[in-house]
Amino acid sequence: SSAYRHQIKLPQEQYQLRLQALSASSSSARTPAMSVSQTALVRTSNVVENAKLLVEDKVTSHQSIENTADARVLVEDAHDIFAEVIKYKQFRRRPNVYFARHDQAQWHLTLDDEYFVRLTLRDVHGNFMCTRDLHVSELDHEHKNTRFLRNLQTWRQQYVCDHIEWNVQVIADDAHTAADDVVQVRVIDKRDNEFIIKALRMATFTLQFTAKGTACRQPLILASTKKQIVVTTPVRVRNTTTVDCTSSEDQQAQAQPQQRQSSAPPLLLIPYTAANHAHRAPLFFGGGSGRYRLEMNDSNVAYLSSTHDITKGQTEGGHTVHGHEVGRTQLFVIDYANPDNFDVVDVEVARIAVWRLQETIQKEIGMQSAIQVPLMIRDARNRRFSALDGVKEVVTTSSVHKRVSVEFVATSIAEMYQQYAAQKTLIGADDDDDDGDDGEGVNAGTATTTLSSSSSWDCSRCCDGVVIVHGLRAGYERFEIGFVDERRDLVRHAGMF
């Protein structure tokens, strides 16, 4: 039927076309039932056909000199429709590895985002139909302004069929909901097998794709397939102390909460000292399908815990990031069910540049009692670190007459997980979360509630160190507290009591 007609674009004044049967021996080769005209239209009257299409240069193609190109032409019955989807507009850096959707029967799409859908017929053996493989030289030209198509399995092919009508039908799960209220569907100009879809509300619905041959006297349904659509929220790094308190105090004083919601990624700032593998900080995230892949752009700067397997993902909505070397990299949090739904956080490992006790404090201690002295720990840009749990491993303390004992205290990683779980419970999000007492993760689920703004965080309490001074015997005392940096030098600061 001419519904299987293929059209190949070639300069007609330079090339001539002919068909050659494919057979084991030339003696048994039969004339193919399909035909080709010099207008590059291939037609066949058979349902199953196999031949080679030769493209010859009119000037140099003869018995002694060959300048030809050939393509295998197969005509088969369509079996099903292969559908691919990818986020249409993604104006930011993407993860290095693109994991294809593992569930082809169900698509997870984010609310109010446009997605690009490409439909391709397949035969019973899984071969793509109505396509022409693009030459390497054509790829950059074909996808010059749509580089995202490189992540599609069919991006190396060009749709070449004619007289096929493609349709998309929206089937709402709720019989009382109109299809137009659930999703928008529009056809890309001059590409009738490519569509743009946009989910308008949080819902679950079904898309049915149908290909109909229109060249026959009686239009024929060639193939049909269905996809269940699950609409989710975007994956987001949670606004907690580990990323919100890393700006300098001057920046925090000048900024309003709404101004912090900028296009710049949040920052996870990890200290670097002699114990460079001891420093770590938790990162919390949520949204999407509730299962996540984590990808560190440069594992030489920072690395993930060994518990995370990027091929399997994790259901916990938190992860502990470990610092390794001084530098800056990026961490991607990716929805396991939707590779186009991700968030990114900057991860920086920096040296401690400010180590100073608060001067305006009480300097008298009763015997057998104690006071707390804030210890300011900052980097060279006067920024707080996301966590100081590992600093305890490099802290050294001493006193001259042993009249006081000195102890450094900082919020532990496990306590940060517990505080995060308590904050979410307080606002009514994800009541079924784990308490995170293992220090490695909490369950994120698919909560849509945003944690409270940075104005509610007490950064001095969570991200500053505290020195507890215990009075042992009466008299004046001088103590020292310091840390060992990566050069094995001792950095000290003294206090008199």
Side-chain angles (χ1 to χ4, degrees):
S1 168
S2 58
Y4 297 95
R5 184 176 66 176
H6 295 60
Q7 181 171 342
I8 303 175
K9 299 178 181 178
L10 294 170
Q12 299 175 23
E13 67 278 2
Q14 183 178 352
Y15 299 101
Q16 60 183 4
L17 309 173
R18 63 188 177 91
L19 286 167
Q20 174 182 313
L22 292 179
S23 181
S25 63
S26 58
S27 60
S28 60
R30 65 176 178 82
T31 303
M34 68 177 70
S35 63
V36 60
S37 68
Q38 295 311 305
T39 58
L41 293 178
V42 181
R43 293 183 174 87
T44 182
S45 57
N46 287 6
V47 174
V48 178
E49 188 70 26
N50 193 346
K52 180 186 288 186
L53 174 65
L54 295 178
V55 184
E56 301 176 337
D57 191 312
K58 288 183 178 180
V59 178
T60 60
S61 180
H62 51 77
Q63 293 182 353
S64 60
I65 302 176
E66 285 195 5
N67 183 16
T68 66
D70 59 77
R72 191 176 181 185
V73 180
L74 296 93
V75 181
E76 299 277 356
D77 259 333
H79 176 69
D80 63 3
I81 297 175
F82 179 75
E84 289 187 293
V85 63
I86 192 169
K87 192 171 180 179
Y88 186 59
K89 297 178 180 179
Q90 199 78 270
F91 303 111
R92 55 175 175 167
R93 181 171 182 173
R94 301 188 68 126
N96 293 329
V97 180
Y98 187 89
F99 287 89
R101 295 173 183 267
H102 65 284
D103 188 354
Q104 288 299 324
Q106 188 180 74
W107 286 348
H108 284 73
L109 308 180
T110 47
L111 182 67
D112 291 329
D113 286 331
E114 290 186 341
Y115 282 81
F116 174 89
V117 178
R118 173 179 287 178
L119 307 178
T120 308
L121 288 171
R122 289 192 303 190
D123 64 13
V124 69
H125 304 294
N127 300 314
F128 294 127
M129 305 177 65
C130 291
T131 60
R132 176 182 71 87
D133 293 338
L134 293 173
H135 189 269
V136 176
S137 61
E138 297 178 279
L139 294 177
D140 288 337
H141 175 73
E142 181 75 13
H143 304 299
K144 182 178 180 180
N145 299 318
T146 53
R147 297 277 181 178
F148 62 90
L149 286 179
R150 294 175 181 264
N151 293 317
L152 294 176
Q153 187 175 345
T154 57
W155 78 277
R156 291 180 176 271
Q157 298 172 333
Q158 181 186 47
Y159 179 75
V160 296
C161 271
D162 197 2
H163 295 295
I164 294 181
E165 179 183 306
W166 299 87
N167 292 305
V168 180
Q169 180 184 1
V170 181
I171 306 173
D173 287 358
D174 185 358
H176 302 288
T177 303
D180 293 342
D181 295 335
V182 176
V183 64
Q184 287 180 349
V185 180
R186 61 183 176 89
V187 180
I188 300 178
D189 294 341
K190 299 181 181 179
R191 296 182 183 181
D192 53 2
N193 70 320
E194 297 177 353
F195 300 85
I196 297 295
I197 60 175
K198 179 180 179 180
L200 303 178
R201 57 186 296 183
M202 297 292 294
T204 301
F205 57 92
T206 301
L207 292 179
Q208 180 170 346
F209 305 110
T210 304
K212 180 189 297 185
T214 59
C216 301
R217 181 175 301 175
Q218 295 290 335
L220 176 66
I221 299 296
L222 303 177
S224 180
T225 191
K226 291 182 179 180
K227 297 289 183 183
Q228 185 183 37
I229 309 300
V230 179
V231 184
T232 69
T233 56
V235 170
R236 286 287 181 264
V237 172
R238 296 301 194 191
N239 182 28
T240 62
T241 54
T242 57
V243 296
D244 192 70
C245 294
T246 54
S247 58
S248 68
E249 291 182 331
D250 292 339
Q251 291 173 324
Q252 289 179 355
Q254 295 173 3
Q256 296 298 324
Q258 62 270 19
Q259 293 176 327
R260 296 192 184 98
Q261 307 299 326
S262 62
S263 58
L267 173 65
L268 198 69
L269 187 60
I270 303 174
Y272 180 77
T273 65
N276 60 340
H277 289 283
H279 300 296
R280 52 185 186 157
L283 181 70
F284 304 103
F285 40 84
S289 65
R291 191 175 188 89
Y292 310 96
R293 306 181 196 269
L294 304 180
E295 179 188 291
M296 186 68 71
N297 194 35
D298 187 354
S299 58
N300 292 322
V301 174
Y303 59 94
L304 303 170
S305 299
S306 58
T307 55
H308 182 76
D309 184 348
I310 193 172
T311 61
K312 299 179 181 178
Q314 66 176 62
T315 56
E316 296 82 8
H319 194 85
T320 303
V321 180
H322 298 254
H324 187 206
E325 296 289 346
V326 173
R328 192 180 182 100
T329 184
Q330 288 183 315
L331 170 62
F332 293 91
V333 182
I334 311 163
D335 190 344
Y336 186 85
N338 182 0
D340 301 305
N341 183 15
F342 62 89
D343 202 4
V344 61
V345 58
D346 287 335
V347 179
E348 184 175 348
V349 181
R351 294 181 175 89
I352 297 174
V354 178
W355 181 272
R356 185 171 62 250
L357 289 168
Q358 184 175 322
E359 300 293 343
T360 58
I361 56 172
Q362 174 187 350
K363 295 189 176 182
E364 293 182 358
I365 310 173
M367 292 181 59
Q368 308 303 320
S369 62
I371 64 169
Q372 295 185 2
V373 185
L375 177 62
M376 181 181 293
I377 304 175
R378 304 284 192 273
D379 74 341
R381 297 173 60 183
N382 197 34
R383 297 176 300 181
R384 285 187 173 93
F385 291 96
S386 297
L388 299 174
D389 184 59
V391 175
K392 291 182 289 187
E393 299 190 21
V394 295
V395 164
T396 63
T397 62
S398 63
S399 60
V400 178
H401 303 293
K402 309 300 181 184
R403 292 189 175 98
V404 297
S405 66
V406 182
E407 178 187 5
F408 173 80
V409 177
T411 304
S412 68
I413 300 298
E415 289 172 336
M416 287 186 170
Y417 276 95
Q418 292 170 0
Q419 291 172 5
Y420 172 71
Q423 179 71 9
K424 290 203 300 180
T425 302
L426 182 64
I427 63 174
D430 297 338
D431 292 334
D432 57 343
D433 286 354
D434 298 333
D435 59 9
D437 55 3
D438 57 354
E440 288 297 334
V442 291
N443 195 315
T446 55
T448 59
T449 308
T450 302
L451 291 182
S452 56
S453 66
S454 57
S455 59
S456 65
W457 299 119
D458 186 353
C459 294
S460 62
R461 181 178 180 182
C462 71
C463 302
D464 278 342
V466 174
V467 177
I468 300 179
V469 184
H470 298 268
L472 302 179
R473 292 186 294 129
Y476 288 96
E477 181 61 282
R478 179 182 179 87
F479 74 87
E480 289 185 339
I481 182 168
F483 73 95
V484 182
D485 66 10
E486 77 279 6
R487 298 180 298 272
R488 300 294 173 179
D489 295 332
L490 184 60
V491 179
R492 296 182 177 90
H493 190 89
M496 180 72 71
F497 287 90

